[in-house]
Amino acid sequence: MSDGDYDYLIKFLALGDSGVGKTSVLYQYTDGKFNSKFITTVGIDFREKRVVYRASGPDGATGRGQRIHLQ
């Protein structure tokens, strides 16, 4: 997918106390990796992921996927 080639843009902002795992959750979701020895992030960390969501109907058929860009 190129820039602007999506159906939905979702911007997610995680706020919280230092050391609670905001960056760890972010990296786990975007990269599928967990680092137990993460250094505390100071300031801002930005990641993005593009997914295609295909909902199935009551008969089990799936329609065109919705392209979602998560930031």
Side-chain angles (χ1 to χ4, degrees), residues 1-2 61 71:
M1 285 189 255
S2 64
Q71 292 183 339

Side-chain angles (χ1 to χ4, degrees), residues 1 5-10 49-56 62-70:
M1 285 189 255
D5 188 21
Y6 49 82
D7 296 309
Y8 297 98
L9 172 63
I10 299 174
K49 182 174 184 174
R50 292 177 185 235
V51 296
V52 176
Y53 174 74
R54 289 186 183 9
S56 58
T62 57
R64 181 179 87 72
Q66 298 295 312
R67 300 163 302 179
I68 303 169
H69 186 163
L70 302 161

